[in-house]
């Protein structure tokens, strides 16, 4: 254990390379020291050096499968997914029943976003070792990420007697239980903008799952709205019920209905309706269709006019490679207050997941209305917004942090010119256990809505949002 002890001392001192160098200087062919150096380099994030050390070991070791397996793990840690996949498959070509290679391949594919391929590899691993709790937990994890909680629960329930206390199985079961257990959300949001609009929304949302593949949601909200510069104060309150049904292997059907009342002088009673269908989230190509009807009760003047919206939206997504995603939405909307108007909407976004919890993206949004009406919603004949997005998300124990910054340029009306705009937001949350947390958030935007009767060409719209949420 001398070489281990030396390395442990050096690791504690912050320079793991020194101990290995001394051992290898005295005994260049020491396989244990070479392997220790490769492992320590991998732990330190020096993946290229670690792979080089393992390559050196291949020429000296009597167990090339073990070295190839270690190389594959390093490639997976370095997010070199295709190379890791090839390395695992090389091990499996030598030994098709190598459980560690099957599990390593399954984990790499799952964490890299190849969910169907990862599911297949986990099922092969479980077929080789039906009593292996790690393979069972890994398959459940993969199914959970696909949004298939019922399938994950069935896999976990087939665990061997006495394995219920295994930490990985227990952890996955906790997340599935959190997804299926009754939940309630309480949120309070305060929004204000430079047009003197203010909105305070208190909302209670509950979820019950009478069956593992059926979720029922109920929402009750109260909203106070005012526009100080004209002394207009209005209120809106509503109740909505939604049902979401999951079909294997991941299709989602949703439908909902509700009612809403306001104290506006115009139409004051509304019916809300929703219906939609989405393809399985695990597929690299997918989409959804959503039909909605709802009141546009987000400013005092809109409530006063009784504006309501009916829309149909088609959404598509494509994952050309793990970490990359292309999403798009096309929608048609009908707005009706005292008069009727129609809107066409198109959105396109490309994002790339990076290391360290960061996601970078580029997006363009467009919508345009047929008519320029005095209904107090933003209805230009052309609105275009192009943004560069940077979003960071991190978990530190029970704490969660999210920040987003999206600078860009927007054009308002077909006769307008592009001007700068920015959106930003931040969120801090604390998780008590899976599915239960409290959070506070804030956001700022100078993009989107503009005053309808601006007094000067230098006018800039600004909106500020502050909110808090408790999930229990």
């Amino acid at each position: 254990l001398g070489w281990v002890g030396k390395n442990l001392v050096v690791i504690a001192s912050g320079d793991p390379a020194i101990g290995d160098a001394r051992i290898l200087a005295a005994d260049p062919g020491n396989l244990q020291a070479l392997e220790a150096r490769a492992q320590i380099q991998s732990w330190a994030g020096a993946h290229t050096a670690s792979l080089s050390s393992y390559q050196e070991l291949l020429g000296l070791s009597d167990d090339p499968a073990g070295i190839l397996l270690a190389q594959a793990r390093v490639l997976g840690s370095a997010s070199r997914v295709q190379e890791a996949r090839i390395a695992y498959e090389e091990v499996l070509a030598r030994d098709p029943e190598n459980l560690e290679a099957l599990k390593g391949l399954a984990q790499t594919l799952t964490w890299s976003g190849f969910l169907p391929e990862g599911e297949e590899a986990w099922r092969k691993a479980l077929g080789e070792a039906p009593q292996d709790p790690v393979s069972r937990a890994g398959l459940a994890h993969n199914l959970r990420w696909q949004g298939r909680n019922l399938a994950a629960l069935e896999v976990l329930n087939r665990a061997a007697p006495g394995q219920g206390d295994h930490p990985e199985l227990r952890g996955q079961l906790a997340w599935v239980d959190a997804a299926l257990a009754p939940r309630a959300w309480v949120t309070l949001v305060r929004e204000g903008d430079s047009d003197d609009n203010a909105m305070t929304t208190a909302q209670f949302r509950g979820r019950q799952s009478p069956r593992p593949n059926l979720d029922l949601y109920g929402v009750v909200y109260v909203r106070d709205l005012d526009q100080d510069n004209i002394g207009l104060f209005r209120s809106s309150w509503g109740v909505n019920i939604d049902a979401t049904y999951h079909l294997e292997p991941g299709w989602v059907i949703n439908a909902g209905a509700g009612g809403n009342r306001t104290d506006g002088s115009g139409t004051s009673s509304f019916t809300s309706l929703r219906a939609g269908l989405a393809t399985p989230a695990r597929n690299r190509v997918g989409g959804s269709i959503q039909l909605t009807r709802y009141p546009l009760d987000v400013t005092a003047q809109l409530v006063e006019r009784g504006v309501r919206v009916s829309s149909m939206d088609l959404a598509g997504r494509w994952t050309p490679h793990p970490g990359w995603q292309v999403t798009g939405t096309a929608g048609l909307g009908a707005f009706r207050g005292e008069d009727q108007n129609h809107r066409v909407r198109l959105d396109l976004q490309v994002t790339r997941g990076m290391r360290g919890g960061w996601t970078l993206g580029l997006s363009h949004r467009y919508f345009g209305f047929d008519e320029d009406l005095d209904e107090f919603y933003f209805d230009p004949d052309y609105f275009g917004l192009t943004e560069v997005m940077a979003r960071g998300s991190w978990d530190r124990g029970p704490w969660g942090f999210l920040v987003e910054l999206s600078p860009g340029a927007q054009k308002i009306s077909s006769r307008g010119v592009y001007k700068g705009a920015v959106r930003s937001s931040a969120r801090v949350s604390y998780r008590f256990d899976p599915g239960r947390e409290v959070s506070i958030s804030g956001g700022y935007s100078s993009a989107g809505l503009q005053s309808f009767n601006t007094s000067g060409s230098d006018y800039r719209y600004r909106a500020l949002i502050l909110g808090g949420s408790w999930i229990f």
Side-chain angles (χ1 to χ4, degrees):
L1 297 177
W3 65 274
V4 176
K6 292 177 184 177
N7 274 286
L8 289 176
V9 170
V10 177
I11 291 171
S13 71
D15 193 351
I18 296 174
D20 295 320
R22 290 174 179 171
I23 298 168
L24 292 172
D27 183 6
N30 189 307
L31 295 180
Q32 290 180 319
L34 284 169
E35 187 170 3
R37 181 180 67 182
Q39 289 176 344
I40 293 168
Q41 288 167 334
S42 174
W43 296 337
H47 298 119
T48 301
S50 177
L51 291 168
S52 179
S53 295
Y54 278 121
Q55 192 63 33
E56 184 180 350
L57 271 166
L58 275 176
L60 301 172
S61 175
D62 295 328
D63 180 22
I67 302 304
L68 287 170
L69 188 57
Q71 280 186 315
R73 293 192 186 103
V74 176
L75 288 166
S77 299
S79 299
R80 293 162 62 173
V81 181
Q82 294 299 337
E83 294 174 80
R85 191 171 185 172
I86 292 170
Y88 280 121
E89 289 173 350
E90 185 175 349
V91 176
L92 291 170
R94 295 168 180 261
D95 179 8
E97 297 181 2
N98 189 309
L99 182 60
E100 292 305 312
L102 282 170
K103 291 195 293 187
L105 175 61
Q107 186 175 56
T108 298
L109 292 171
T110 296
W111 281 91
S112 301
F114 289 101
L115 297 180
E117 298 90 336
E119 178 188 350
E120 182 181 359
W122 279 122
R123 290 192 184 278
K124 286 182 179 179
L126 201 57
E128 293 294 333
Q131 306 305 318
D132 179 40
V134 175
S135 296
R136 190 168 297 278
L139 176 57
H141 190 180
N142 178 289
L143 294 169
R144 207 168 47 76
W145 277 11
Q146 294 183 36
R148 298 165 61 190
N149 289 306
L150 175 59
L153 181 61
E154 291 174 347
V155 167
L156 293 169
N157 285 340
R158 289 197 294 269
Q163 289 187 341
D165 289 334
H166 188 278
E168 293 194 40
L169 288 173
R170 190 171 63 246
Q172 290 303 315
L173 186 59
W175 281 108
V176 172
D177 285 344
L180 300 176
R183 281 288 180 267
W185 295 257
V186 177
T187 59
L188 181 65
V189 179
R190 174 70 175 180
E191 304 175 50
D193 67 15
S194 52
D195 289 336
D196 287 325
N197 290 302
M199 175 171 68
T200 303
T201 303
Q203 177 178 282
F204 177 85
R205 184 175 184 230
R207 185 197 69 205
Q208 174 67 41
S209 300
R211 298 175 58 183
N213 61 343
L214 176 62
D215 297 322
L216 299 179
Y217 296 89
V219 178
V220 178
Y221 75 91
V222 178
R223 181 170 288 160
D224 288 330
L225 308 121
D226 61 78
Q227 188 167 1
D228 284 338
N229 60 346
I230 60 173
L232 184 63
F233 304 91
R234 290 291 179 263
S235 296
S236 175
W237 54 96
V239 177
N240 294 286
I241 304 295
D242 291 278
T244 300
Y245 190 77
H246 304 266
L247 296 169
E248 282 296 316
W251 290 84
V252 179
I253 302 172
N254 71 80
N260 172 275
R261 290 192 63 84
T262 74
D263 58 359
S265 300
T267 303
S268 60
S269 181
F270 304 87
T271 299
S272 297
L273 299 170
R274 284 161 300 284
L277 172 68
T279 62
R282 70 177 194 160
N283 296 341
R284 294 176 68 180
V285 177
S288 66
I289 181 171
Q290 193 75 27
L291 305 174
T292 56
R293 178 184 177 185
Y294 57 94
L296 193 60
D297 55 345
V298 292
T299 70
Q301 288 177 312
L302 291 172
V303 167
E304 178 68 10
R305 294 290 181 107
V307 178
R308 53 201 180 277
V309 181
S310 299
S311 67
M312 178 181 71
D313 295 291
L314 296 173
R317 55 176 173 76
W318 173 42
T319 305
H321 190 274
W324 287 91
Q325 188 165 81
V326 181
T327 58
T329 303
L332 298 175
F335 287 60
R336 186 169 185 83
E338 296 180 358
D339 293 300
Q340 188 162 321
N341 207 349
H342 294 89
R343 180 199 66 188
V344 175
R345 169 194 168 203
L346 297 171
D347 297 338
L348 180 64
Q349 183 178 72
V350 180
T351 59
R352 172 71 165 98
M354 311 296 288
R355 292 186 183 180
W358 286 99
T359 299
L360 302 181
L362 178 66
S363 69
H364 181 73
R365 305 178 186 181
Y366 157 80
F367 66 79
F369 282 84
D370 289 344
E371 306 291 339
D372 181 13
L373 303 177
D374 188 21
E375 297 282 8
F376 293 98
Y377 55 83
F378 183 42
D379 58 357
D381 67 328
Y382 177 93
F383 173 78
L385 173 64
T386 300
E387 295 177 304
V388 177
M389 181 269 290
R391 180 175 63 241
S393 178
W394 309 276
D395 289 320
R396 298 291 184 268
W399 292 95
F401 305 90
L402 185 146
V403 295
E404 182 174 345
L405 178 64
S406 298
Q410 65 179 357
K411 178 181 176 181
I412 300 170
S413 89
S414 56
R415 299 183 302 276
V417 296
Y418 274 97
K419 294 183 178 181
V422 66
R423 294 185 304 113
S424 62
S425 63
R427 180 177 183 268
V428 178
S429 63
Y430 184 87
R431 186 179 67 249
F432 300 100
D433 54 53
R436 303 177 188 273
E437 68 175 37
V438 294
S439 66
I440 56 173
S441 59
Y444 170 83
S445 175
S446 64
L449 293 171
Q450 303 287 305
S451 177
F452 308 107
N453 296 292
T454 61
S455 58
S457 60
D458 60 346
Y459 169 83
R460 295 297 300 275
Y461 176 84
R462 299 174 304 281
L464 183 65
I465 303 171
L466 298 173
S469 176
W470 177 28
I471 305 175
F472 58 93

